[in-house]
Amino acid sequence: MTDTETPAAPEAPEAPEAPEAPRPPLVRRLLRSRTVRAATAAALAGVLLGAGTVAWRTDTLPLLGPSPCWDSLGSGSMDALFGDRRTEVEEQSLLNDPMGDTGSYGQCRITSYEGDRARRQVTVNVRRLDGLRGTDAQDWPSEFLSSGMVPLGEGLPGMTSSSRAWIALPQACTGRDDFTGPTVVDIGMGRADFEVSSEYTLRDRAALTGALIDAVNGVIEDFGCSGTYREPRDLHPPVEWDTTRTSGFCGTKGLTLPAAYRKDLRETRVSGEGGPARICTAGYGSDETSVRLTTVTDPVLAEIYSSDALHSGAPVKGTRGYGKVGGNRAVYRAVCQTGQVVFVLEQLRPAGPANRFTFTRDLLPAYVATEAERIGCAPQKLTVPES
């Protein structure tokens, strides 16, 4: 990718469309055609199978075939992720959700082997995040809205870490209905939030980020849209766990952690600033996360919590918003100058008084008020019902 390429507009349909990317060489364009690919496969199959060779596991041909994951991951990304190990690819075509949803759907999984032993597996998904039924409000954020992530920056609508990364496709390309989140390309490798050392973190994060940008540009082209995203050049340093600050909890001025929780929430980590969401997790240690506090400032991404803000507990009244608070989760949706913002508090394990699930009720009003002040959305005053 060259420095002269211009990123596609991240979301806004009214933004000018990015310049059309250069067309691939003739052979590559021909091989994108399923008809030509099938004909080539038929011609090669007899030769390869006659020689006792298994040519492919999916419709990706050897030698002349397209690259893995919708012809997107080039040799640079593959080498950075897998080195010189043998790889096998399982790939689904990019089609509408077969269960009847209108969102885009497709998955690509690459596994590398050393001999017969699987060493690394990377999975790329293309999906439209749901906001109507709440199906993407918990599992997807637990992996892809992590306090270990940093924003991609440079106008790119996404986040990255050493184990997970995601980016939203331009709305001008995918369109969007009411109560739906963005259509995203996400990529995962190994266990979410697994980190060994800063050296490995930087190496794996760079490899995963490069593969993500390659993948999303391939998807944009597969969808028949023009423009490309450019790989970010300067990412935030990896975020680290730190001793909890009871005053200015989670790095938010004016937010005080109640004394009852200080014994159980001894360490805290806050994601990089300036992205579509800011995430803070805290616990007894880095491997015992007890609470997660999330502020989603991207209005489209905030849609994935729409159902929870209406149906996930007792009603919460606010100055310019509404929400619900339950036993271990509270969601408040506010109207700000930039559009809707969502504040989410989650208690993942018992903490505080008698190891109960009281954190969301105790901290929601102060968290929303101070976070709203931080992002320029104040005043926000909440009334939480008694338990």
PDB file of all heavy atoms in Angstrom, residues 161-175:
ATOM      1  N   SER A 161      -5.333  -4.743  19.188  1.00  0.00           N
ATOM      2  CA  SER A 161      -4.469  -5.220  20.257  1.00  0.00           C
ATOM      3  C   SER A 161      -3.632  -6.355  19.694  1.00  0.00           C
ATOM      4  O   SER A 161      -3.638  -6.593  18.481  1.00  0.00           O
ATOM      5  CB  SER A 161      -5.300  -5.703  21.464  1.00  0.00           C
ATOM      6  OG  SER A 161      -5.964  -6.916  21.156  1.00  0.00           O
ATOM      7  N   SER A 162      -2.935  -7.070  20.552  1.00  0.00           N
ATOM      8  CA  SER A 162      -2.100  -8.166  20.068  1.00  0.00           C
ATOM      9  C   SER A 162      -2.885  -9.444  19.810  1.00  0.00           C
ATOM     10  O   SER A 162      -2.344 -10.398  19.262  1.00  0.00           O
ATOM     11  CB  SER A 162      -0.993  -8.455  21.085  1.00  0.00           C
ATOM     12  OG  SER A 162      -1.554  -8.824  22.337  1.00  0.00           O
ATOM     13  N   SER A 163      -4.170  -9.477  20.196  1.00  0.00           N
ATOM     14  CA  SER A 163      -4.971 -10.680  19.987  1.00  0.00           C
ATOM     15  C   SER A 163      -6.292 -10.434  19.265  1.00  0.00           C
ATOM     16  O   SER A 163      -6.892 -11.379  18.736  1.00  0.00           O
ATOM     17  CB  SER A 163      -5.265 -11.366  21.330  1.00  0.00           C
ATOM     18  OG  SER A 163      -6.009 -10.507  22.178  1.00  0.00           O
ATOM     19  N   ARG A 164      -6.768  -9.197  19.231  1.00  0.00           N
ATOM     20  CA  ARG A 164      -8.023  -8.868  18.572  1.00  0.00           C
ATOM     21  C   ARG A 164      -7.892  -7.503  17.886  1.00  0.00           C
ATOM     22  O   ARG A 164      -7.192  -6.614  18.371  1.00  0.00           O
ATOM     23  CB  ARG A 164      -9.188  -8.799  19.568  1.00  0.00           C
ATOM     24  CG  ARG A 164      -9.521 -10.104  20.273  1.00  0.00           C
ATOM     25  CD  ARG A 164     -10.093 -11.124  19.325  1.00  0.00           C
ATOM     26  NE  ARG A 164     -10.546 -12.325  20.013  1.00  0.00           N
ATOM     27  CZ  ARG A 164      -9.768 -13.370  20.287  1.00  0.00           C
ATOM     28  NH1 ARG A 164      -8.476 -13.342  19.951  1.00  0.00           N
ATOM     29  NH2 ARG A 164     -10.262 -14.435  20.896  1.00  0.00           N
ATOM     30  N   ALA A 165      -8.599  -7.348  16.767  1.00  0.00           N
ATOM     31  CA  ALA A 165      -8.646  -6.055  16.078  1.00  0.00           C
ATOM     32  C   ALA A 165      -9.925  -6.004  15.254  1.00  0.00           C
ATOM     33  O   ALA A 165     -10.455  -7.044  14.842  1.00  0.00           O
ATOM     34  CB  ALA A 165      -7.418  -5.857  15.185  1.00  0.00           C
ATOM     35  N   TRP A 166     -10.426  -4.799  15.029  1.00  0.00           N
ATOM     36  CA  TRP A 166     -11.639  -4.655  14.214  1.00  0.00           C
ATOM     37  C   TRP A 166     -11.666  -3.278  13.573  1.00  0.00           C
ATOM     38  O   TRP A 166     -11.009  -2.343  14.027  1.00  0.00           O
ATOM     39  CB  TRP A 166     -12.902  -4.861  15.063  1.00  0.00           C
ATOM     40  CG  TRP A 166     -13.115  -3.794  16.110  1.00  0.00           C
ATOM     41  CD1 TRP A 166     -12.636  -3.777  17.380  1.00  0.00           C
ATOM     42  CD2 TRP A 166     -13.883  -2.574  15.968  1.00  0.00           C
ATOM     43  NE1 TRP A 166     -13.031  -2.639  18.040  1.00  0.00           N
ATOM     44  CE2 TRP A 166     -13.798  -1.882  17.204  1.00  0.00           C
ATOM     45  CE3 TRP A 166     -14.622  -2.021  14.931  1.00  0.00           C
ATOM     46  CZ2 TRP A 166     -14.430  -0.657  17.410  1.00  0.00           C
ATOM     47  CZ3 TRP A 166     -15.255  -0.790  15.141  1.00  0.00           C
ATOM     48  CH2 TRP A 166     -15.160  -0.130  16.364  1.00  0.00           C
ATOM     49  N   ILE A 167     -12.435  -3.187  12.499  1.00  0.00           N
ATOM     50  CA  ILE A 167     -12.618  -1.913  11.814  1.00  0.00           C
ATOM     51  C   ILE A 167     -13.985  -1.918  11.134  1.00  0.00           C
ATOM     52  O   ILE A 167     -14.457  -2.966  10.678  1.00  0.00           O
ATOM     53  CB  ILE A 167     -11.486  -1.668  10.787  1.00  0.00           C
ATOM     54  CG1 ILE A 167     -11.527  -0.223  10.267  1.00  0.00           C
ATOM     55  CG2 ILE A 167     -11.540  -2.677   9.644  1.00  0.00           C
ATOM     56  CD1 ILE A 167     -10.280   0.157   9.470  1.00  0.00           C
ATOM     57  N   ALA A 168     -14.642  -0.774  11.117  1.00  0.00           N
ATOM     58  CA  ALA A 168     -15.958  -0.656  10.479  1.00  0.00           C
ATOM     59  C   ALA A 168     -15.788  -0.361   8.995  1.00  0.00           C
ATOM     60  O   ALA A 168     -14.928   0.428   8.607  1.00  0.00           O
ATOM     61  CB  ALA A 168     -16.771   0.446  11.152  1.00  0.00           C
ATOM     62  N   LEU A 169     -16.623  -0.988   8.198  1.00  0.00           N
ATOM     63  CA  LEU A 169     -16.650  -0.696   6.770  1.00  0.00           C
ATOM     64  C   LEU A 169     -17.357   0.635   6.533  1.00  0.00           C
ATOM     65  O   LEU A 169     -18.212   1.045   7.328  1.00  0.00           O
ATOM     66  CB  LEU A 169     -17.378  -1.805   6.018  1.00  0.00           C
ATOM     67  CG  LEU A 169     -16.607  -3.119   5.887  1.00  0.00           C
ATOM     68  CD1 LEU A 169     -17.559  -4.276   5.640  1.00  0.00           C
ATOM     69  CD2 LEU A 169     -15.587  -3.023   4.772  1.00  0.00           C
ATOM     70  N   PRO A 170     -17.023   1.351   5.453  1.00  0.00           N
ATOM     71  CA  PRO A 170     -17.694   2.626   5.179  1.00  0.00           C
ATOM     72  C   PRO A 170     -19.195   2.427   4.958  1.00  0.00           C
ATOM     73  O   PRO A 170     -19.610   1.524   4.229  1.00  0.00           O
ATOM     74  CB  PRO A 170     -17.018   3.113   3.890  1.00  0.00           C
ATOM     75  CG  PRO A 170     -15.740   2.350   3.792  1.00  0.00           C
ATOM     76  CD  PRO A 170     -16.008   1.029   4.438  1.00  0.00           C
ATOM     77  N   GLN A 171     -20.003   3.265   5.586  1.00  0.00           N
ATOM     78  CA  GLN A 171     -21.451   3.175   5.389  1.00  0.00           C
ATOM     79  C   GLN A 171     -21.836   3.452   3.947  1.00  0.00           C
ATOM     80  O   GLN A 171     -22.846   2.940   3.457  1.00  0.00           O
ATOM     81  CB  GLN A 171     -22.169   4.149   6.318  1.00  0.00           C
ATOM     82  CG  GLN A 171     -22.174   3.718   7.775  1.00  0.00           C
ATOM     83  CD  GLN A 171     -23.050   4.621   8.618  1.00  0.00           C
ATOM     84  OE1 GLN A 171     -24.234   4.795   8.342  1.00  0.00           O
ATOM     85  NE2 GLN A 171     -22.464   5.215   9.635  1.00  0.00           N
ATOM     86  N   ALA A 172     -21.044   4.251   3.257  1.00  0.00           N
ATOM     87  CA  ALA A 172     -21.321   4.509   1.846  1.00  0.00           C
ATOM     88  C   ALA A 172     -21.242   3.226   1.030  1.00  0.00           C
ATOM     89  O   ALA A 172     -21.857   3.122  -0.035  1.00  0.00           O
ATOM     90  CB  ALA A 172     -20.326   5.542   1.297  1.00  0.00           C
ATOM     91  N   CYS A 173     -20.516   2.241   1.539  1.00  0.00           N
ATOM     92  CA  CYS A 173     -20.377   0.961   0.847  1.00  0.00           C
ATOM     93  C   CYS A 173     -21.440  -0.032   1.300  1.00  0.00           C
ATOM     94  O   CYS A 173     -22.037  -0.727   0.473  1.00  0.00           O
ATOM     95  CB  CYS A 173     -18.984   0.389   1.103  1.00  0.00           C
ATOM     96  SG  CYS A 173     -18.669  -1.233   0.379  1.00  0.00           S
ATOM     97  N   THR A 174     -21.700  -0.093   2.600  1.00  0.00           N
ATOM     98  CA  THR A 174     -22.571  -1.139   3.138  1.00  0.00           C
ATOM     99  C   THR A 174     -24.004  -0.685   3.381  1.00  0.00           C
ATOM    100  O   THR A 174     -24.910  -1.512   3.462  1.00  0.00           O
ATOM    101  CB  THR A 174     -22.010  -1.656   4.463  1.00  0.00           C
ATOM    102  OG1 THR A 174     -21.987  -0.577   5.421  1.00  0.00           O
ATOM    103  CG2 THR A 174     -20.592  -2.182   4.278  1.00  0.00           C
ATOM    104  N   GLY A 175     -24.207   0.643   3.555  1.00  0.00           N
ATOM    105  CA  GLY A 175     -25.516   1.110   3.977  1.00  0.00           C
ATOM    106  C   GLY A 175     -25.763   0.727   5.427  1.00  0.00           C
ATOM    107  O   GLY A 175     -24.978   0.003   6.046  1.00  0.00           O
TER     108      GLY A 175
END
